[in-house]
Amino acid sequence: MRFNIVKAKTALLVAGKNQCEIAESLELSRRWVGAAFNGRNISEKTARHIAAALGVPLDELKEVD
């Protein structure tokens, strides 16, 4: 699954967090979180965790084909 880059980065700014903080809070590598915010494929499980950490529904962040 892929995140819509603009929506994901906007949610990050609104949450007042940075990618490192999200990675640390989820105990994920900064590389995985960075991949998500740069539109690369990530697992749905990882996507759900990141969306929850940002306080937004996963559907708001998904890239629509």
Side-chain angles (χ1 to χ4, degrees):
M1 116 171 307
R2 291 180 189 210
F3 280 165
N4 175 295
I5 296 170
V6 173
K7 290 180 181 180
K9 289 185 179 182
T10 299
L12 189 65
L13 288 172
V14 170
K17 298 180 180 181
N18 62 44
Q19 292 179 18
C20 290
E21 291 169 335
I22 296 292
E24 287 176 11
S25 72
L26 296 174
E27 297 182 359
L28 292 172
S29 75
R30 165 66 180 78
R31 177 177 253 172
W32 277 110
V33 174
F37 284 96
N38 287 309
R40 293 194 180 92
N41 277 325
I42 58 172
S43 72
E44 186 171 341
K45 180 180 177 182
T46 299
R48 276 188 307 217
H49 289 299
I50 293 171
L54 293 171
V56 297
L58 178 57
D59 288 340
E60 284 188 24
L61 301 178
K62 280 185 183 179
E63 182 66 58
V64 179
D65 294 326

